[in-house]
Amino acid sequence: MLMLPIVGALLAPLLVRVTKHYAGWLLAAIPLIIFVHFAGMLETVGNARTVSGGFDWAPSLGLRFAWFLDGLSLTFAVLISGIGTLIVIYSGGYLKGHPHQGRFFSFMLLFMGAMLGLVVSDSFLMLFVYWELTSITSFLLIGFDHGREAARRAALQALLVTGLGGLSLLAGLLVVSQATGVSELSALLGAGEALRQSPLYLAALLLVLGGAFTKSAQFPFHFWLPNAMEAPTPVSAYLHSATMVKAGVYLVMRLNPVMGGTAAWETILPLFGGATLAVGAVLAIRQVDLKLMLAYTTVASLGLLVMLTGLGSDKAVEAAALYLIAHSLFKGALFMVAGLIDHEAGTRDVTRLAGLRRAMPVTFAAAMLAAFSMGGLPLFFGFLAKEEIYLAFTETDGWRLLLLAVAIGANALMFAIGFAVALRPFAGAPIATPKHAHEGPASLWLGPVVLGGAGLVAALASATTHRLLSSPTASAVAGTPVDVTISVVPHIGVPLILSALTVALGIAAYLGLDRLRSLTAGVLAGIGWGPDRGFDQALRALLRFAAGLTRIVQSGRLDIYMTATFIAVAAALLVPMIVTGELPSAPVLPALRFYEWAVMAIAVIGLAAVVQARSRLTAIVSLGIQGFAVAVLYMLFGAPDLSFTQFMVETLAVVILALVMTRLRLSPTDHRPLRQQLLDMTIAGACGLAFTLLLLKVTQLPFDDRLSQFFAAYSKTIAHGRNVVNVIIVDYRGLDTLGEIAVVMITGLAILALIRIRSKKTVARASVAEDA
């Protein structure tokens, strides 16, 4: 099933070229097949069973490509594929006639596949790979209209924020694996106590939450999500309802049985979730763009889900599971309504819209169905979620009372925003719009109608919904069996009172929305700075730092590069040996024959000749003396092939360097001041000492001949070569040798280019001189 979106992405451009605007209906068959497949597992998983599988990827490293389906992952898979089916159909109508519609479908299906892979992943490796794929594919979708600077900025911002979070997640998963010894989520669910008792728990928690909070736009990382509204509306609808922004929520819910139940978990999640809930709801009031109004309420809703997951009680977990489903349905519908209004009326500005109910009756009905659920009104699934949220706060203390107040206020504001999007554009007398408003085609209103109606049907058939979706999801999040029983019949008592209070405050906020918008805008203007501006400032500071650092380390002078390189080499070799005390013991001089001593003496004489040389050319030729002396030593110690290679390298090196020196007309003598010469001498001596100590230490360790025995045993039988050294170079290390050849070739081409440039300049100067 995970391969189907990839296949669809490959076929989409061709299908669009052949079938034009009908491609959306045809491509929707792919997520529909996936939806049917996962929906067929609901009964199995609803009976407290799981589905798992996989195959080994790198057995020696303990890495598997594995998948795991329980109530949580299956609910996500059903939502992703089901809503994805409607989004693909909607995209066909929304982007009808767009020159890059085929490319858009490819990106959308890849995004769908990445999100499906994320929620069904079992192995840490598979989870991280798909986690990053969602960031990459969302970057492509958000920046789809790449001709606009705002779209490019939003795409880059989303990629940077979620990409950095991905690195945090990777580090967290590595710490979790180190603390528990497992690398699969299904195994991790049984190692919760070991992880919570580990001294690495807090580090793992902070790193994992870094990934989850950036992905699900928790304060102060919330700013990238509203900016992502630069994407086409189908992307926004899918992004906010069932996919990427809920990836962080999925991760938090998945790890609740493992990392939950601690003071850190029950403090950090409610704190950041509550802050995100409040910030998102307040910022939504300020907006006039329908998509931005909905985007900020998504930020608030994500904060609510994180806050509920962090509370830790079964009722809070039930509320989170219910709200997860409800939000996916009503938010997907409302975003598609906003896009439909923009597509048919030509604007998303709520202050320029009114009286569309007669021109767009089907859209109006779908919008109201979704708004009733978002507002938590009876008979809709959002009502069940809101009732359960308030029921989770019946056992209160001072901390939870504060969170309850935040939840009531934010829910009231989201009530107002929901009806501002669903009612204001349709109510009142019609006003002129940029385009003549009319009902859109079926491909555009089908999605809102289905999702809005699903919010009603799911509540009326709550017993079936809970059995197949809500209870399995809540059980997976809680880590213990949970039976969700709430129905459309209100809870008599505190929850009903709080629900009524929320509706009353929401109606008041809706009626005074314009005044609240002006007040909020004034307060935010007074504050001035925000995380979005902070992101730009941080990015500019990073670029300035990078430019300054580049000017220092990339000055364009080869001598500085070589000095820095050799200092780093000497430090990398000497510092660990000195700090750890792993210096070699005093060596025992070998019993050398007189001619071996003579060769070594020639090498020393060559070194002295290099140091005392008055010209660069003499130094180059003298440098070859050492190389030839080493080649003779190789030959004396029984390595004629290595000796021959050394002779050839030294000969070619001296010849090439000499030719280059003569053609480039460099200064024939060394004009370095004494201070520079002493510095270079010190660095050279440090490097020589470091390599000497390292080689002495290596030779004093016990020799492990397993690799030597392997080469000796298999060079003839596997590689069909008698010369072991040759076999190693051209067979076992064939790619390494190819890389070395490529480096030499590129270096030669670079030298040739320098010589030709020099020659052309010389010819040009000569021509100018002759003309003069």
Side-chain angles (χ1 to χ4, degrees), residues 21 89-98 101 232-234 290-291 334-349 353 356 360 363 426 433-445:
H21 58 277
I89 296 173
Y90 183 85
S91 301
Y94 191 85
L95 293 174
K96 180 181 178 180
H98 195 287
Q101 190 181 46
T233 299
L290 295 177
K291 282 178 63 175
L334 286 174
F335 261 109
M336 284 191 270
V337 165
L340 183 50
I341 293 173
D342 185 26
H343 192 272
E344 303 304 332
T347 181
R348 297 195 306 263
D349 189 338
L353 292 166
L356 297 179
M360 307 175 70
T363 304
F426 301 96
T433 54
K435 293 171 63 176
H436 175 65
H438 58 86
E439 191 62 81
S443 58
L444 290 181
W445 54 254

Coordinates of all heavy atoms in Angstrom, one line a residue, residues 21 89-98 101 232-234 290-291 334-349 353 356 360 363 426 433-445:
H21 N -8.6 17.6 -17.1 CA -9.1 17.9 -15.8 C -9.9 16.7 -15.2 O -10.3 16.8 -14.0 CB -10.1 19.1 -15.8 CG -11.2 18.9 -16.8 ND1 -11.1 19.2 -18.1 CD2 -12.5 18.5 -16.6 CE1 -12.3 19.0 -18.7 NE2 -13.1 18.6 -17.8
I89 N -9.5 14.8 -5.5 CA -10.7 15.2 -6.4 C -10.8 16.7 -6.4 O -11.0 17.3 -7.4 CB -12.0 14.5 -5.9 CG1 -11.9 13.0 -6.1 CG2 -13.2 15.0 -6.7 CD1 -13.0 12.2 -5.4
Y90 N -10.7 17.3 -5.2 CA -10.8 18.7 -5.0 C -9.7 19.4 -5.8 O -9.9 20.5 -6.5 CB -10.7 19.1 -3.6 CG -10.9 20.5 -3.2 CD1 -12.1 21.1 -3.0 CD2 -9.8 21.3 -3.0 CE1 -12.3 22.4 -2.7 CE2 -9.9 22.6 -2.7 CZ -11.1 23.2 -2.5 OH -11.3 24.5 -2.1
S91 N -8.5 18.9 -5.8 CA -7.4 19.5 -6.5 C -7.6 19.5 -8.0 O -7.2 20.5 -8.7 CB -6.1 18.7 -6.2 OG -5.8 18.7 -4.9
G92 N -8.3 18.5 -8.5 CA -8.5 18.4 -10.0 C -9.4 19.6 -10.4 O -9.2 20.2 -11.5
G93 N -10.4 19.9 -9.6 CA -11.3 21.1 -9.9 C -10.6 22.4 -9.6 O -10.8 23.4 -10.3
Y94 N -9.9 22.5 -8.5 CA -9.3 23.8 -8.0 C -8.2 24.2 -9.0 O -8.1 25.4 -9.3 CB -8.8 23.6 -6.6 CG -8.4 24.9 -6.0 CD1 -9.3 25.7 -5.3 CD2 -7.1 25.4 -6.1 CE1 -9.0 26.9 -4.7 CE2 -6.7 26.6 -5.5 CZ -7.7 27.3 -4.8 OH -7.3 28.5 -4.2
L95 N -7.4 23.3 -9.5 CA -6.3 23.6 -10.4 C -6.6 23.3 -11.8 O -5.7 23.1 -12.6 CB -5.0 22.9 -9.9 CG -4.5 23.3 -8.6 CD1 -3.3 22.4 -8.2 CD2 -4.0 24.8 -8.6
K96 N -7.9 23.3 -12.2 CA -8.3 23.0 -13.6 C -7.6 24.0 -14.5 O -7.7 25.2 -14.4 CB -9.8 23.0 -13.7 CG -10.3 22.7 -15.1 CD -11.8 22.8 -15.1 CE -12.3 22.6 -16.5 NZ -13.8 22.7 -16.6
G97 N -6.9 23.4 -15.5 CA -6.2 24.2 -16.5 C -4.9 24.8 -16.1 O -4.2 25.4 -16.9
H98 N -4.4 24.5 -14.9 CA -3.1 25.0 -14.4 C -2.0 24.2 -15.2 O -2.1 23.0 -15.4 CB -2.9 24.7 -12.9 CG -1.8 25.4 -12.3 ND1 -0.5 25.1 -12.6 CD2 -1.8 26.5 -11.5 CE1 0.3 26.0 -11.9 NE2 -0.5 26.8 -11.2
Q101 N -0.4 21.2 -13.3 CA -1.2 20.4 -12.5 C -0.7 19.0 -12.3 O -0.8 18.4 -11.2 CB -2.6 20.3 -13.1 CG -3.7 19.6 -12.2 CD -5.0 19.6 -12.9 OE1 -5.1 19.2 -14.0 NE2 -6.1 19.9 -12.1
P232 N -1.3 26.4 -2.4 CA -2.6 26.3 -2.9 C -3.6 25.7 -1.9 O -3.1 24.9 -1.0 CB -2.5 25.4 -4.1 CG -1.1 25.5 -4.6 CD -0.3 25.7 -3.3
T233 N -4.8 26.1 -1.9 CA -5.8 25.6 -0.9 C -5.9 24.1 -0.7 O -6.0 23.7 0.4 CB -7.2 26.2 -1.2 OG1 -7.1 27.6 -1.2 CG2 -8.2 25.8 -0.1
P234 N -5.8 23.3 -1.7 CA -5.8 21.8 -1.5 C -4.7 21.4 -0.6 O -4.9 20.5 0.3 CB -5.7 21.2 -2.9 CG -6.2 22.3 -3.8 CD -5.8 23.6 -3.2
L290 N -9.7 34.2 5.1 CA -10.4 33.0 5.6 C -9.4 31.9 5.9 O -9.5 31.2 6.9 CB -11.4 32.5 4.5 CG -12.6 33.4 4.2 CD1 -13.4 32.8 3.1 CD2 -13.4 33.6 5.5
K291 N -8.4 31.7 5.0 CA -7.4 30.7 5.2 C -6.5 30.9 6.5 O -6.2 30.0 7.3 CB -6.5 30.5 4.0 CG -7.1 29.7 2.9 CD -6.3 29.6 1.7 CE -5.0 28.9 1.9 NZ -4.2 28.7 0.7
L334 N -13.8 23.0 6.2 CA -13.8 24.5 6.2 C -12.7 25.0 5.3 O -12.9 26.0 4.6 CB -13.6 25.0 7.6 CG -14.9 24.9 8.5 CD1 -14.6 25.3 9.9 CD2 -16.0 25.7 7.9
F335 N -11.5 24.4 5.2 CA -10.5 24.8 4.3 C -10.9 24.7 2.9 O -10.7 25.6 2.1 CB -9.2 24.1 4.6 CG -8.2 24.8 5.4 CD1 -7.9 24.4 6.7 CD2 -7.6 25.9 4.9 CE1 -7.1 25.1 7.5 CE2 -6.7 26.6 5.7 CZ -6.4 26.2 7.0
M336 N -11.6 23.6 2.6 CA -12.1 23.4 1.2 C -13.2 24.5 0.9 O -13.3 25.0 -0.3 CB -12.5 22.0 1.0 CG -11.4 21.0 0.8 SD -11.9 19.4 0.2 CE -12.2 18.6 1.8
V337 N -14.0 24.8 1.9 CA -15.0 25.8 1.7 C -14.3 27.2 1.4 O -14.7 27.9 0.5 CB -15.9 25.9 2.9 CG1 -16.7 27.2 2.9 CG2 -16.8 24.7 3.0
A338 N -13.3 27.5 2.2 CA -12.5 28.8 2.0 C -11.9 28.8 0.5 O -12.0 29.8 -0.1 CB -11.4 28.9 3.0
G339 N -11.4 27.7 0.1 CA -10.8 27.7 -1.3 C -11.9 27.8 -2.3 O -11.7 28.4 -3.4
L340 N -13.0 27.1 -2.0 CA -14.1 27.2 -3.0 C -14.7 28.6 -3.1 O -15.0 29.1 -4.2 CB -15.2 26.2 -2.5 CG -16.5 26.1 -3.4 CD1 -16.1 25.8 -4.8 CD2 -17.4 25.0 -2.9
I341 N -14.8 29.3 -2.0 CA -15.2 30.7 -2.0 C -14.2 31.6 -2.8 O -14.6 32.4 -3.7 CB -15.4 31.3 -0.6 CG1 -16.6 30.6 0.1 CG2 -15.6 32.8 -0.6 CD1 -16.7 30.9 1.6
D342 N -13.0 31.4 -2.6 CA -11.9 32.1 -3.3 C -12.0 31.8 -4.8 O -11.8 32.7 -5.6 CB -10.6 31.8 -2.7 CG -9.4 32.6 -3.3 OD1 -9.7 33.7 -3.7 OD2 -8.3 32.1 -3.3
H343 N -12.2 30.6 -5.1 CA -12.2 30.1 -6.5 C -13.3 30.7 -7.3 O -13.2 31.1 -8.4 CB -12.2 28.6 -6.5 CG -11.9 28.0 -7.9 ND1 -12.9 27.8 -8.8 CD2 -10.7 27.6 -8.4 CE1 -12.3 27.2 -9.9 NE2 -11.0 27.1 -9.7
E344 N -14.5 30.8 -6.6 CA -15.7 31.2 -7.3 C -16.1 32.7 -7.1 O -16.7 33.3 -8.0 CB -16.9 30.3 -6.9 CG -16.7 28.9 -7.1 CD -16.4 28.5 -8.5 OE1 -16.8 29.2 -9.4 OE2 -15.7 27.5 -8.7
A345 N -15.6 33.3 -6.0 CA -15.9 34.7 -5.8 C -14.7 35.6 -6.0 O -14.9 36.8 -6.1 CB -16.4 34.9 -4.3
G346 N -13.5 35.0 -6.0 CA -12.3 35.8 -6.3 C -11.6 36.5 -5.1 O -10.7 37.2 -5.3
T347 N -12.1 36.2 -3.9 CA -11.4 36.8 -2.7 C -11.6 35.9 -1.5 O -12.6 35.1 -1.4 CB -12.0 38.2 -2.4 OG1 -11.3 38.7 -1.3 CG2 -13.4 38.1 -2.1
R348 N -10.7 36.0 -0.6 CA -10.8 35.3 0.7 C -11.0 36.3 1.9 O -11.0 35.9 3.0 CB -9.6 34.4 1.0 CG -9.4 33.3 0.0 CD -8.4 32.2 0.6 NE -7.2 32.8 1.0 CZ -6.1 32.9 0.2 NH1 -6.1 32.3 -1.0 NH2 -5.0 33.4 0.7
D349 N -11.1 37.5 1.6 CA -11.2 38.6 2.6 C -12.6 38.5 3.1 O -13.6 38.9 2.4 CB -10.9 39.9 2.0 CG -10.8 41.0 3.0 OD1 -11.4 40.8 4.1 OD2 -10.1 42.0 2.8
L353 N -17.0 39.9 1.7 CA -17.9 38.8 1.3 C -19.2 38.9 2.1 O -19.1 39.1 3.3 CB -17.2 37.4 1.6 CG -16.0 37.1 0.7 CD1 -15.2 35.9 1.3 CD2 -16.4 36.7 -0.7
L356 N -23.7 35.2 -0.1 CA -23.4 34.1 -1.1 C -24.2 32.9 -1.0 O -24.1 32.0 -1.7 CB -21.9 33.7 -1.0 CG -20.8 34.8 -1.3 CD1 -19.4 34.2 -1.1 CD2 -21.0 35.3 -2.7
M360 N -24.3 30.1 -3.8 CA -23.5 28.9 -3.5 C -24.2 28.1 -2.4 O -23.7 28.0 -1.3 CB -22.1 29.3 -3.1 CG -21.4 30.2 -4.1 SD -19.8 30.7 -3.5 CE -18.8 29.2 -3.6
T363 N -22.3 24.9 -1.0 CA -21.2 25.2 -0.2 C -21.6 25.8 1.1 O -21.0 25.5 2.2 CB -20.4 26.3 -1.0 OG1 -20.0 25.8 -2.3 CG2 -19.1 26.7 -0.2
F426 N -21.8 34.1 3.7 CA -23.1 33.7 3.1 C -24.3 34.5 3.6 O -25.3 34.6 2.9 CB -23.3 32.2 3.3 CG -22.3 31.4 2.8 CD1 -21.2 30.9 3.6 CD2 -22.3 31.0 1.5 CE1 -20.2 30.1 3.1 CE2 -21.3 30.1 1.0 CZ -20.2 29.7 1.8
T433 N -18.3 41.1 -5.7 CA -17.1 40.4 -5.5 C -16.2 40.5 -6.7 O -16.8 40.8 -7.8 CB -17.3 38.9 -5.1 OG1 -18.2 38.4 -6.1 CG2 -18.0 38.8 -3.7
P434 N -14.9 40.3 -6.6 CA -14.1 40.3 -7.8 C -14.5 39.4 -9.0 O -14.3 39.8 -10.1 CB -12.7 39.9 -7.3 CG -12.7 40.3 -5.8 CD -14.1 40.0 -5.4
K435 N -15.1 38.3 -8.7 CA -15.6 37.4 -9.7 C -17.1 37.2 -9.4 O -17.6 37.3 -8.3 CB -14.9 36.1 -9.6 CG -13.4 36.1 -10.1 CD -12.7 34.8 -9.8 CE -13.3 33.7 -10.6 NZ -12.5 32.4 -10.4
H436 N -17.8 36.9 -10.5 CA -19.3 36.6 -10.3 C -19.4 35.3 -9.6 O -19.1 34.2 -10.1 CB -20.0 36.6 -11.7 CG -21.4 36.1 -11.6 ND1 -22.4 36.9 -11.0 CD2 -22.0 35.0 -12.1 CE1 -23.5 36.3 -11.1 NE2 -23.4 35.2 -11.7
A437 N -19.9 35.3 -8.4 CA -20.0 34.1 -7.6 C -21.1 33.2 -8.1 O -22.2 33.6 -8.4 CB -20.3 34.5 -6.1
H438 N -20.7 31.9 -8.1 CA -21.7 30.8 -8.4 C -21.2 29.5 -7.8 O -20.0 29.4 -7.4 CB -21.8 30.7 -10.0 CG -20.5 30.4 -10.6 ND1 -20.0 29.2 -10.8 CD2 -19.6 31.3 -11.2 CE1 -18.8 29.2 -11.4 NE2 -18.5 30.5 -11.6
E439 N -22.1 28.6 -7.8 CA -21.7 27.3 -7.2 C -20.6 26.6 -8.0 O -20.6 26.6 -9.3 CB -22.9 26.4 -7.1 CG -22.7 25.1 -6.2 CD -22.4 25.5 -4.8 OE1 -23.3 25.8 -4.0 OE2 -21.2 25.5 -4.5
G440 N -19.7 26.0 -7.3 CA -18.6 25.4 -8.0 C -19.0 24.0 -8.5 O -20.1 23.5 -8.2
P441 N -18.1 23.4 -9.3 CA -18.4 22.0 -9.8 C -18.4 21.0 -8.7 O -17.9 21.3 -7.6 CB -17.2 21.8 -10.8 CG -16.1 22.6 -10.3 CD -16.8 23.9 -9.8
A442 N -18.9 19.8 -9.0 CA -19.0 18.8 -8.0 C -17.6 18.4 -7.4 O -17.5 18.1 -6.2 CB -19.6 17.5 -8.6
S443 N -16.6 18.5 -8.1 CA -15.2 18.1 -7.6 C -14.8 19.1 -6.5 O -14.0 18.7 -5.6 CB -14.2 18.2 -8.7 OG -14.2 19.5 -9.3
L444 N -15.4 20.3 -6.4 CA -15.0 21.2 -5.4 C -15.9 21.1 -4.2 O -15.5 21.3 -3.0 CB -15.1 22.7 -5.9 CG -14.0 23.0 -7.0 CD1 -14.1 24.5 -7.4 CD2 -12.6 22.8 -6.4
W445 N -17.2 20.9 -4.3 CA -18.1 20.8 -3.2 C -18.3 19.4 -2.6 O -18.8 19.3 -1.5 CB -19.4 21.5 -3.4 CG -20.2 21.0 -4.6 CD1 -20.4 21.6 -5.8 CD2 -21.0 19.8 -4.7 NE1 -21.3 20.9 -6.6 CE2 -21.6 19.7 -5.9 CE3 -21.2 18.7 -3.8 CZ2 -22.4 18.7 -6.4 CZ3 -22.0 17.6 -4.2 CH2 -22.6 17.6 -5.5

